[in-house]
Amino acid sequence: MAAETKRKNRIVVNIRRRGALALGAVSLASVTVGCGQLIHGREVPKYLSNFDDVTSVEKVDTEHWYYAWNVTLENDPPVESVLAIVRSTSNKLASDVKLYVGWVQGATSMTCRLPMGTAEKVLPAVMGTVSPEMESVRVTEEQVSIGYLDVEVLSDDFILPSTSPLLGAGMPSVMQGVSVGESSCSVTHFRGADLFSVPLKAVMETVASDEKVKMFVHLEADDPVSKKTCLRVNHKEGVNVDSAVSVLGVVLGNQALQRVELDVTMNGGQDSETVAFEMEAGAVVGSGDPPEQGAAILAAAQQVAAFSS
């Protein structure tokens, strides 16, 4: 009789345990659903108001399919304060919600677009390398874009070295842009490629002064058309042949460049044409394209390079 009573008690205890486990599973499921709810457009201001460093949340008028919000933080926020917003909104923003989180760090205007899967690695590197000459920094999933204060002369160390934390943070692309006098210059790094050896300052200085107005010099580690490390000197009217020769002469011997494109004046200044040179191990392969213009420029540039050395 006593044994039978003990057996029944064990059955009752087991049933209660199963019931408790089942209730616990239901409660856990309810919590998980609650935590997994997505933040939709109208809920953004209320949700972000819980963060101490947020000073304002303003809706951006946009014709796109998504809701956009400008989120402004206190000046010079700690990295952890920015990351707290990143972590809190990670995987929680509805697909139709974009956040533009902005703050001022020192004198630099900072913007980060969320959601962004790599933010926890990229933002500390970005915020740790901000310097006074940077006017603005914009961070997205695809690229870090740095705008520098205008200068009259490009610095020798303008191009970020391969050892820069920015290039080692896992960001696919890092773009630097600056106005140099009346010219513009940009450098686009791609997956940590080393561009530091390209003599960009010398390229900017070798062009005739009167041709620097509205001149654009672009250095790209992965040119979208050629898929090569490419230096382009663009000018609506083109640079004269002497300037083209000087530019090519300056970069001959550079091991990083794989292609050079120069907008060159033709027909006595009436037209301009892009003359391109493929490079390998510092030397031009072939005679340029088109060869009737490229060959003469290349021959003269080789003389310039030989004289300089």
PDB file of all heavy atoms in Angstrom, residues 157-186:
ATOM      1  N   ASP A 157      51.175  63.064 -47.173  1.00  0.00           N
ATOM      2  CA  ASP A 157      50.605  61.852 -46.585  1.00  0.00           C
ATOM      3  C   ASP A 157      49.080  61.833 -46.634  1.00  0.00           C
ATOM      4  O   ASP A 157      48.423  61.245 -45.773  1.00  0.00           O
ATOM      5  CB  ASP A 157      51.081  61.701 -45.135  1.00  0.00           C
ATOM      6  CG  ASP A 157      50.689  62.897 -44.268  1.00  0.00           C
ATOM      7  OD1 ASP A 157      50.187  63.902 -44.809  1.00  0.00           O
ATOM      8  OD2 ASP A 157      50.887  62.828 -43.038  1.00  0.00           O
ATOM      9  N   PHE A 158      48.505  62.474 -47.660  1.00  0.00           N
ATOM     10  CA  PHE A 158      47.045  62.525 -47.754  1.00  0.00           C
ATOM     11  C   PHE A 158      46.445  61.127 -47.891  1.00  0.00           C
ATOM     12  O   PHE A 158      45.440  60.796 -47.259  1.00  0.00           O
ATOM     13  CB  PHE A 158      46.616  63.383 -48.939  1.00  0.00           C
ATOM     14  CG  PHE A 158      45.127  63.380 -49.175  1.00  0.00           C
ATOM     15  CD1 PHE A 158      44.278  64.074 -48.326  1.00  0.00           C
ATOM     16  CD2 PHE A 158      44.575  62.661 -50.230  1.00  0.00           C
ATOM     17  CE1 PHE A 158      42.903  64.062 -48.522  1.00  0.00           C
ATOM     18  CE2 PHE A 158      43.196  62.644 -50.441  1.00  0.00           C
ATOM     19  CZ  PHE A 158      42.366  63.347 -49.581  1.00  0.00           C
ATOM     20  N   ILE A 159      47.042  60.292 -48.712  1.00  0.00           N
ATOM     21  CA  ILE A 159      46.499  58.949 -48.933  1.00  0.00           C
ATOM     22  C   ILE A 159      46.685  58.106 -47.666  1.00  0.00           C
ATOM     23  O   ILE A 159      47.781  58.021 -47.109  1.00  0.00           O
ATOM     24  CB  ILE A 159      47.198  58.262 -50.116  1.00  0.00           C
ATOM     25  CG1 ILE A 159      46.992  59.070 -51.398  1.00  0.00           C
ATOM     26  CG2 ILE A 159      46.668  56.847 -50.312  1.00  0.00           C
ATOM     27  CD1 ILE A 159      47.752  58.530 -52.599  1.00  0.00           C
ATOM     28  N   LEU A 160      45.615  57.484 -47.211  1.00  0.00           N
ATOM     29  CA  LEU A 160      45.709  56.637 -46.028  1.00  0.00           C
ATOM     30  C   LEU A 160      46.639  55.456 -46.284  1.00  0.00           C
ATOM     31  O   LEU A 160      46.535  54.794 -47.321  1.00  0.00           O
ATOM     32  CB  LEU A 160      44.319  56.107 -45.644  1.00  0.00           C
ATOM     33  CG  LEU A 160      43.301  57.118 -45.123  1.00  0.00           C
ATOM     34  CD1 LEU A 160      41.930  56.459 -44.983  1.00  0.00           C
ATOM     35  CD2 LEU A 160      43.748  57.687 -43.777  1.00  0.00           C
ATOM     36  N   PRO A 161      47.542  55.160 -45.356  1.00  0.00           N
ATOM     37  CA  PRO A 161      48.417  53.998 -45.530  1.00  0.00           C
ATOM     38  C   PRO A 161      47.656  52.705 -45.246  1.00  0.00           C
ATOM     39  O   PRO A 161      46.601  52.717 -44.605  1.00  0.00           O
ATOM     40  CB  PRO A 161      49.516  54.234 -44.488  1.00  0.00           C
ATOM     41  CG  PRO A 161      48.832  55.018 -43.411  1.00  0.00           C
ATOM     42  CD  PRO A 161      47.837  55.911 -44.117  1.00  0.00           C
ATOM     43  N   SER A 162      48.209  51.604 -45.704  1.00  0.00           N
ATOM     44  CA  SER A 162      47.543  50.313 -45.504  1.00  0.00           C
ATOM     45  C   SER A 162      47.448  49.942 -44.025  1.00  0.00           C
ATOM     46  O   SER A 162      46.635  49.091 -43.644  1.00  0.00           O
ATOM     47  CB  SER A 162      48.293  49.216 -46.261  1.00  0.00           C
ATOM     48  OG  SER A 162      49.644  49.135 -45.823  1.00  0.00           O
ATOM     49  N   THR A 163      48.271  50.592 -43.182  1.00  0.00           N
ATOM     50  CA  THR A 163      48.245  50.305 -41.743  1.00  0.00           C
ATOM     51  C   THR A 163      47.158  51.081 -41.001  1.00  0.00           C
ATOM     52  O   THR A 163      46.974  50.878 -39.800  1.00  0.00           O
ATOM     53  CB  THR A 163      49.614  50.651 -41.123  1.00  0.00           C
ATOM     54  OG1 THR A 163      49.942  52.021 -41.449  1.00  0.00           O
ATOM     55  CG2 THR A 163      50.703  49.735 -41.659  1.00  0.00           C
ATOM     56  N   SER A 164      46.449  51.959 -41.700  1.00  0.00           N
ATOM     57  CA  SER A 164      45.400  52.751 -41.042  1.00  0.00           C
ATOM     58  C   SER A 164      44.304  51.838 -40.493  1.00  0.00           C
ATOM     59  O   SER A 164      43.854  50.922 -41.185  1.00  0.00           O
ATOM     60  CB  SER A 164      44.786  53.741 -42.037  1.00  0.00           C
ATOM     61  OG  SER A 164      43.614  54.337 -41.485  1.00  0.00           O
ATOM     62  N   PRO A 165      43.864  52.074 -39.251  1.00  0.00           N
ATOM     63  CA  PRO A 165      42.773  51.271 -38.687  1.00  0.00           C
ATOM     64  C   PRO A 165      41.510  51.312 -39.550  1.00  0.00           C
ATOM     65  O   PRO A 165      40.743  50.349 -39.576  1.00  0.00           O
ATOM     66  CB  PRO A 165      42.522  51.922 -37.327  1.00  0.00           C
ATOM     67  CG  PRO A 165      43.814  52.577 -36.982  1.00  0.00           C
ATOM     68  CD  PRO A 165      44.392  53.041 -38.278  1.00  0.00           C
ATOM     69  N   LEU A 166      41.311  52.410 -40.264  1.00  0.00           N
ATOM     70  CA  LEU A 166      40.136  52.513 -41.130  1.00  0.00           C
ATOM     71  C   LEU A 166      40.151  51.452 -42.225  1.00  0.00           C
ATOM     72  O   LEU A 166      39.115  50.902 -42.594  1.00  0.00           O
ATOM     73  CB  LEU A 166      40.065  53.897 -41.773  1.00  0.00           C
ATOM     74  CG  LEU A 166      39.461  55.024 -40.949  1.00  0.00           C
ATOM     75  CD1 LEU A 166      39.572  56.330 -41.706  1.00  0.00           C
ATOM     76  CD2 LEU A 166      38.020  54.732 -40.613  1.00  0.00           C
ATOM     77  N   LEU A 167      41.325  51.174 -42.766  1.00  0.00           N
ATOM     78  CA  LEU A 167      41.428  50.200 -43.851  1.00  0.00           C
ATOM     79  C   LEU A 167      41.462  48.774 -43.336  1.00  0.00           C
ATOM     80  O   LEU A 167      41.312  47.831 -44.116  1.00  0.00           O
ATOM     81  CB  LEU A 167      42.679  50.478 -44.694  1.00  0.00           C
ATOM     82  CG  LEU A 167      42.773  51.870 -45.328  1.00  0.00           C
ATOM     83  CD1 LEU A 167      43.986  51.967 -46.233  1.00  0.00           C
ATOM     84  CD2 LEU A 167      41.502  52.207 -46.100  1.00  0.00           C
ATOM     85  N   GLY A 168      41.643  48.622 -42.021  1.00  0.00           N
ATOM     86  CA  GLY A 168      41.667  47.286 -41.455  1.00  0.00           C
ATOM     87  C   GLY A 168      40.415  46.936 -40.690  1.00  0.00           C
ATOM     88  O   GLY A 168      40.372  45.927 -39.976  1.00  0.00           O
ATOM     89  N   ALA A 169      39.362  47.756 -40.843  1.00  0.00           N
ATOM     90  CA  ALA A 169      38.137  47.549 -40.068  1.00  0.00           C
ATOM     91  C   ALA A 169      37.110  46.687 -40.794  1.00  0.00           C
ATOM     92  O   ALA A 169      35.992  46.525 -40.307  1.00  0.00           O
ATOM     93  CB  ALA A 169      37.513  48.894 -39.709  1.00  0.00           C
ATOM     94  N   GLY A 170      37.480  46.166 -41.953  1.00  0.00           N
ATOM     95  CA  GLY A 170      36.548  45.298 -42.664  1.00  0.00           C
ATOM     96  C   GLY A 170      35.564  46.017 -43.556  1.00  0.00           C
ATOM     97  O   GLY A 170      34.643  45.398 -44.093  1.00  0.00           O
ATOM     98  N   MET A 171      35.725  47.325 -43.727  1.00  0.00           N
ATOM     99  CA  MET A 171      34.843  48.091 -44.601  1.00  0.00           C
ATOM    100  C   MET A 171      35.272  47.877 -46.048  1.00  0.00           C
ATOM    101  O   MET A 171      36.449  48.022 -46.376  1.00  0.00           O
ATOM    102  CB  MET A 171      34.911  49.568 -44.233  1.00  0.00           C
ATOM    103  CG  MET A 171      34.079  50.497 -45.110  1.00  0.00           C
ATOM    104  SD  MET A 171      32.315  50.129 -45.104  1.00  0.00           S
ATOM    105  CE  MET A 171      31.890  50.487 -43.399  1.00  0.00           C
ATOM    106  N   PRO A 172      34.334  47.510 -46.945  1.00  0.00           N
ATOM    107  CA  PRO A 172      34.724  47.269 -48.337  1.00  0.00           C
ATOM    108  C   PRO A 172      35.411  48.451 -49.001  1.00  0.00           C
ATOM    109  O   PRO A 172      36.366  48.286 -49.752  1.00  0.00           O
ATOM    110  CB  PRO A 172      33.386  46.969 -49.027  1.00  0.00           C
ATOM    111  CG  PRO A 172      32.487  46.502 -47.937  1.00  0.00           C
ATOM    112  CD  PRO A 172      32.912  47.247 -46.714  1.00  0.00           C
ATOM    113  N   SER A 173      34.936  49.672 -48.720  1.00  0.00           N
ATOM    114  CA  SER A 173      35.458  50.840 -49.421  1.00  0.00           C
ATOM    115  C   SER A 173      35.613  52.018 -48.470  1.00  0.00           C
ATOM    116  O   SER A 173      34.756  52.247 -47.607  1.00  0.00           O
ATOM    117  CB  SER A 173      34.508  51.217 -50.570  1.00  0.00           C
ATOM    118  OG  SER A 173      34.903  52.406 -51.201  1.00  0.00           O
ATOM    119  N   VAL A 174      36.716  52.754 -48.632  1.00  0.00           N
ATOM    120  CA  VAL A 174      36.951  53.994 -47.889  1.00  0.00           C
ATOM    121  C   VAL A 174      37.298  55.067 -48.906  1.00  0.00           C
ATOM    122  O   VAL A 174      38.236  54.898 -49.696  1.00  0.00           O
ATOM    123  CB  VAL A 174      38.082  53.849 -46.860  1.00  0.00           C
ATOM    124  CG1 VAL A 174      38.345  55.195 -46.170  1.00  0.00           C
ATOM    125  CG2 VAL A 174      37.756  52.783 -45.826  1.00  0.00           C
ATOM    126  N   MET A 175      36.547  56.167 -48.912  1.00  0.00           N
ATOM    127  CA  MET A 175      36.755  57.235 -49.888  1.00  0.00           C
ATOM    128  C   MET A 175      37.201  58.507 -49.189  1.00  0.00           C
ATOM    129  O   MET A 175      36.612  58.921 -48.197  1.00  0.00           O
ATOM    130  CB  MET A 175      35.472  57.488 -50.677  1.00  0.00           C
ATOM    131  CG  MET A 175      35.672  58.357 -51.930  1.00  0.00           C
ATOM    132  SD  MET A 175      35.664  60.136 -51.598  1.00  0.00           S
ATOM    133  CE  MET A 175      33.918  60.421 -51.330  1.00  0.00           C
ATOM    134  N   GLN A 176      38.268  59.126 -49.712  1.00  0.00           N
ATOM    135  CA  GLN A 176      38.759  60.417 -49.234  1.00  0.00           C
ATOM    136  C   GLN A 176      38.529  61.451 -50.327  1.00  0.00           C
ATOM    137  O   GLN A 176      38.830  61.196 -51.497  1.00  0.00           O
ATOM    138  CB  GLN A 176      40.252  60.346 -48.939  1.00  0.00           C
ATOM    139  CG  GLN A 176      40.687  59.307 -47.930  1.00  0.00           C
ATOM    140  CD  GLN A 176      42.208  59.229 -47.839  1.00  0.00           C
ATOM    141  OE1 GLN A 176      42.817  58.342 -48.423  1.00  0.00           O
ATOM    142  NE2 GLN A 176      42.821  60.160 -47.111  1.00  0.00           N
ATOM    143  N   GLY A 177      38.012  62.617 -49.956  1.00  0.00           N
ATOM    144  CA  GLY A 177      37.770  63.665 -50.933  1.00  0.00           C
ATOM    145  C   GLY A 177      38.193  65.018 -50.406  1.00  0.00           C
ATOM    146  O   GLY A 177      37.984  65.334 -49.226  1.00  0.00           O
ATOM    147  N   VAL A 178      38.817  65.844 -51.279  1.00  0.00           N
ATOM    148  CA  VAL A 178      39.283  67.156 -50.850  1.00  0.00           C
ATOM    149  C   VAL A 178      39.334  68.094 -52.051  1.00  0.00           C
ATOM    150  O   VAL A 178      39.573  67.657 -53.184  1.00  0.00           O
ATOM    151  CB  VAL A 178      40.680  67.051 -50.186  1.00  0.00           C
ATOM    152  CG1 VAL A 178      41.735  66.581 -51.179  1.00  0.00           C
ATOM    153  CG2 VAL A 178      41.093  68.363 -49.536  1.00  0.00           C
ATOM    154  N   SER A 179      39.096  69.376 -51.798  1.00  0.00           N
ATOM    155  CA  SER A 179      39.302  70.408 -52.814  1.00  0.00           C
ATOM    156  C   SER A 179      40.690  70.989 -52.622  1.00  0.00           C
ATOM    157  O   SER A 179      41.055  71.413 -51.513  1.00  0.00           O
ATOM    158  CB  SER A 179      38.253  71.516 -52.685  1.00  0.00           C
ATOM    159  OG  SER A 179      36.971  71.028 -53.046  1.00  0.00           O
ATOM    160  N   VAL A 180      41.472  70.997 -53.707  1.00  0.00           N
ATOM    161  CA  VAL A 180      42.829  71.524 -53.683  1.00  0.00           C
ATOM    162  C   VAL A 180      42.871  72.745 -54.596  1.00  0.00           C
ATOM    163  O   VAL A 180      42.918  72.620 -55.820  1.00  0.00           O
ATOM    164  CB  VAL A 180      43.850  70.476 -54.149  1.00  0.00           C
ATOM    165  CG1 VAL A 180      45.269  71.015 -54.023  1.00  0.00           C
ATOM    166  CG2 VAL A 180      43.696  69.180 -53.367  1.00  0.00           C
ATOM    167  N   GLY A 181      42.821  73.929 -53.983  1.00  0.00           N
ATOM    168  CA  GLY A 181      42.701  75.139 -54.797  1.00  0.00           C
ATOM    169  C   GLY A 181      41.411  75.082 -55.590  1.00  0.00           C
ATOM    170  O   GLY A 181      40.323  74.938 -55.030  1.00  0.00           O
ATOM    171  N   GLU A 182      41.515  75.173 -56.914  1.00  0.00           N
ATOM    172  CA  GLU A 182      40.327  75.111 -57.767  1.00  0.00           C
ATOM    173  C   GLU A 182      40.139  73.735 -58.397  1.00  0.00           C
ATOM    174  O   GLU A 182      39.328  73.569 -59.292  1.00  0.00           O
ATOM    175  CB  GLU A 182      40.434  76.175 -58.860  1.00  0.00           C
ATOM    176  CG  GLU A 182      40.450  77.596 -58.310  1.00  0.00           C
ATOM    177  CD  GLU A 182      40.484  78.639 -59.416  1.00  0.00           C
ATOM    178  OE1 GLU A 182      41.593  78.992 -59.851  1.00  0.00           O
ATOM    179  OE2 GLU A 182      39.403  79.088 -59.833  1.00  0.00           O
ATOM    180  N   SER A 183      40.885  72.754 -57.891  1.00  0.00           N
ATOM    181  CA  SER A 183      40.764  71.374 -58.361  1.00  0.00           C
ATOM    182  C   SER A 183      40.118  70.511 -57.284  1.00  0.00           C
ATOM    183  O   SER A 183      40.004  70.921 -56.127  1.00  0.00           O
ATOM    184  CB  SER A 183      42.138  70.798 -58.721  1.00  0.00           C
ATOM    185  OG  SER A 183      42.807  71.603 -59.662  1.00  0.00           O
ATOM    186  N   SER A 184      39.713  69.319 -57.690  1.00  0.00           N
ATOM    187  CA  SER A 184      39.164  68.356 -56.741  1.00  0.00           C
ATOM    188  C   SER A 184      39.954  67.056 -56.836  1.00  0.00           C
ATOM    189  O   SER A 184      40.433  66.677 -57.907  1.00  0.00           O
ATOM    190  CB  SER A 184      37.685  68.074 -57.030  1.00  0.00           C
ATOM    191  OG  SER A 184      36.910  69.243 -56.858  1.00  0.00           O
ATOM    192  N   CYS A 185      40.066  66.381 -55.711  1.00  0.00           N
ATOM    193  CA  CYS A 185      40.858  65.151 -55.661  1.00  0.00           C
ATOM    194  C   CYS A 185      40.135  64.138 -54.786  1.00  0.00           C
ATOM    195  O   CYS A 185      39.594  64.472 -53.728  1.00  0.00           O
ATOM    196  CB  CYS A 185      42.242  65.457 -55.079  1.00  0.00           C
ATOM    197  SG  CYS A 185      43.270  64.022 -54.814  1.00  0.00           S
ATOM    198  N   SER A 186      40.098  62.879 -55.237  1.00  0.00           N
ATOM    199  CA  SER A 186      39.492  61.828 -54.428  1.00  0.00           C
ATOM    200  C   SER A 186      40.320  60.552 -54.526  1.00  0.00           C
ATOM    201  O   SER A 186      40.960  60.282 -55.544  1.00  0.00           O
ATOM    202  CB  SER A 186      38.051  61.551 -54.864  1.00  0.00           C
ATOM    203  OG  SER A 186      38.018  60.929 -56.132  1.00  0.00           O
TER     204      SER A 186
END
